[in-house]
Amino acid sequence: MNLSRRQMLILLPAAAVAWKSVLAGSPEESPNYKMTDHWWGMLIDIPKCIGCGNCVRACATENDVPDGYFRTWVERYHRSDWPMNESGEVTANPLIVPEVISPDGGKEGFPAATDESGKYFFVPKMCNHCADSPCTQVCPVGATFISPDGVVLVDQKYCLGCAYCVQACPYGCRYVHPTKEVADKCTLCYHRITQGLTTACCEACPTGARQLVDLKNPNDPIHEFLKTHSVQVLKPQMATGAKLFYNDLDGSVR
Amino acid sequence: MSIFKDAGHLFRFAGLFVLAFLVFLVVRHYVVPKSFGQYGHYRGAAIGEIAQHPAKFAGHEACETCHSDVADKKKAGKHAHVNCEACHGAIFERLPVAEQPKPNLFQRAVALVVHPLPSDPPLLRHAEDPTVKPVLPDTAVLCASCHTASAAKPKGFPQVVPAEHSNGMPCETCHQPHSPGMATPVAAAGGAK
């Protein structure tokens, strides 16, 4: 073989690139679960939630969530009647200033509500598994991502624990794990849904207020539900493409 | 070749550049994980790793394969949509550390060599060993966690003030949790809403 220096200079890098692609191999594929067949989300039916905290406890059990940290939590909103002082002036707009409590994330339930006035309701919260998630966009090392089936996940081996994503999440759904020192969040029980199970919070919810939905499944009841109910997402103005759908969401919820 | 006259220094630079590029490719090959970029700007293998997390809630279908009698009873009652593990807790929950089976000498020796760090305690497998029971819930606490009256709960949801409702009697005197409709008339049990 008689190669000129010029030919050699062109061939060597080309060979290196080709060799690299040979070494990379082909991706492993699970025989039973095809990521491209699913697009996961969740439906939260607010009128059904009784604030028992079963979901919070189940999530902590299933995913070894440390005490004081939450992948899901429940808030109790109280929208008072229009508050007025003695001279009849309105002092606060209850739509803008609702009273919100979440003792220990609602893990052990809530104190009984004594004030019968106004409107009470529970709002379970968790990762919205946004289709255009701000948290994945800010990661400097590619450690958090939206999987091909629409679940926002953290690669904890790759995460540096810089917490940019914790700041970027508009819903406050991420935290830095106190012992692992990497970002941690709801995985939508990815280990369960890929096996055909529902999430731990849905499994434990006694009233069916939470339902796992697969938007790519044409037989999923979510399609009919979305047509017939008033369903909203949190902070739609942020255009995050949230897939946590709330039925009958009150306007005061932030 | 007259145009390459006095161009030796350019070739030396080009050679250095190519060499640096090759070194970069080799280093990159070892530093960047193989599955990085498989689906996007992240490590594709991470998806499979996250899916490996062990499940602790088996799901009500798993319970119903053996306990079909309870499932039938439940289906007819008001708790039809309450899944087993909502009350009984996760089947694969870990045992408290004191109750863990102690490893024998051989197992400890192997563990010392293979992985010196203490590994996670094994998961309970009620399905494999039926003597390992899920927690039997204390009804006084369990029932109250959902059915304690509060103005914040949906109006149609059955709720009581436990102290006034049952005169301290356990809930299951009147209500069987799997099908909580009244077993005996209200007056006989001495309680009402």
Side-chain angles (χ1 to χ4, degrees):
Chain A
M1 202 138 94
N2 199 3
L3 287 174
S4 71
R5 172 152 47 178
R6 172 180 296 233
Q7 283 167 322
M8 196 67 181
L9 289 180
I10 294 167
L11 276 176
L12 269 180
V17 171
W19 180 237
K20 186 176 181 296
S21 70
V22 167
L23 284 179
S26 53
E28 278 181 54
E29 287 199 7
S30 161
N32 300 321
Y33 181 81
K34 269 180 81 183
M35 285 193 284
T36 46
D37 288 349
H38 304 276
W39 192 246
W40 298 107
M42 192 172 278
L43 172 68
I44 296 198
D45 205 345
I46 288 187
K48 284 187 181 172
C49 183
I50 57 169
C52 64
N54 243 9
C55 50
V56 185
R57 293 190 294 273
C59 177
T61 303
E62 178 74 24
N63 298 299
D64 306 315
V65 180
D67 272 346
Y69 295 82
F70 303 96
R71 290 188 180 191
T72 183
W73 68 99
V74 182
E75 292 172 357
R76 189 178 83 190
Y77 275 67
H78 181 211
R79 246 181 60 190
S80 58
D81 299 326
W82 287 94
M84 279 180 280
N85 59 18
E86 280 112 33
S87 52
E89 287 166 346
V90 173
T91 52
N93 181 342
L95 257 183
I96 295 171
V97 198
E99 183 204 335
V100 187
I101 62 165
S102 185
D104 197 19
K107 206 179 207 172
E108 302 302 331
F110 289 82
T114 45
D115 185 2
E116 291 277 349
S117 68
K119 178 187 176 186
Y120 281 101
F121 50 93
F122 296 101
V123 184
K125 288 192 172 175
M126 55 179 261
C127 172
N128 286 242
H129 293 284
C130 308
D132 296 306
S133 177
C135 61
T136 60
Q137 292 169 32
V138 298
C139 182
V141 295
T144 183
F145 53 88
I146 303 166
S147 71
D149 39 2
V151 182
V152 178
L153 296 171
V154 179
D155 178 357
Q156 296 198 326
K157 282 190 187 160
Y158 227 56
C159 176
L160 302 168
C162 72
Y164 281 172
C165 57
V166 178
Q167 294 186 43
C169 174
Y171 307 104
C173 298
R174 286 170 171 257
Y175 57 89
V176 172
H177 194 285
T179 53
K180 295 183 194 166
E181 296 183 338
V182 292
D184 200 27
K185 66 177 287 297
C186 165
T187 61
L188 203 65
C189 281
Y190 197 74
H191 58 290
R192 301 177 60 84
I193 61 177
T194 50
Q195 289 176 34
L197 295 166
T198 188
T199 65
C201 54
C202 291
E203 185 67 33
C205 179
T207 62
R210 287 168 173 262
Q211 278 156 47
L212 178 73
V213 300
D214 181 2
L215 296 163
K216 272 196 187 174
N217 176 3
N219 299 321
D220 197 302
I222 183 66
H223 303 296
E224 184 61 25
F225 195 94
L226 289 175
K227 266 186 250 175
T228 52
H229 291 75
S230 169
V231 175
Q232 290 187 49
V233 295
L234 295 178
K235 302 188 182 176
Q237 75 276 15
M238 299 201 74
T240 55
K243 292 197 264 78
L244 188 58
F245 303 108
Y246 284 93
N247 179 36
D248 204 8
L249 187 73
D250 190 89
S252 64
V253 178
R254 297 287 177 265
Chain B
M1 291 295 279
S2 60
I3 55 165
F4 288 134
K5 203 178 78 176
D6 301 331
H9 63 294
L10 293 180
F11 283 115
R12 280 193 292 279
F13 260 118
L16 269 179
F17 184 82
V18 168
L19 195 71
F21 183 67
L22 286 178
V23 168
F24 166 76
L25 282 183
V26 169
V27 169
R28 189 180 187 281
H29 169 70
Y30 285 105
V31 171
V32 177
K34 284 202 178 105
S35 63
F36 202 93
Q38 187 182 341
Y39 304 110
H41 187 71
Y42 58 90
R43 209 166 53 90
I47 296 178
E49 289 168 21
I50 292 164
Q52 292 305 309
H53 185 87
K56 296 194 190 143
F57 285 80
H60 60 101
E61 295 92 346
C63 309
E64 285 161 7
T65 52
C66 295
H67 301 281
S68 54
D69 53 330
V70 180
D72 291 341
K73 197 172 170 189
K74 219 158 67 67
K75 245 173 239 157
K78 279 208 148 195
H79 280 169
H81 51 272
V82 182
N83 293 330
C84 314
E85 287 162 307
C87 299
H88 292 280
I91 279 191
F92 295 147
E93 175 60 303
R94 289 162 208 275
L95 276 169
V97 177
E99 295 172 30
Q100 294 279 337
K102 294 270 186 302
N104 62 29
L105 203 68
F106 176 72
Q107 284 169 327
R108 268 186 291 176
V110 169
L112 214 70
V113 176
V114 179
H115 38 110
L117 291 172
S119 58
D120 282 342
L123 295 175
L124 260 184
R125 304 256 175 227
H126 169 73
E128 287 155 21
D129 180 4
T131 59
V132 180
K133 299 278 187 199
V135 187
L136 194 67
D138 173 11
T139 50
V141 179
L142 179 80
C143 303
S145 76
C146 288
H147 292 288
T148 301
S150 169
K153 285 184 182 166
K155 293 289 166 280
F157 185 76
Q159 36 192 311
V160 297
V161 180
E164 298 170 6
H165 177 73
S166 64
N167 300 329
M169 271 194 290
C171 309
E172 65 266 33
T173 313
C174 302
H175 307 280
Q176 292 312 304
H178 289 144
S179 179
M182 291 299 295
T184 48
V186 175
K193 189 175 176 182

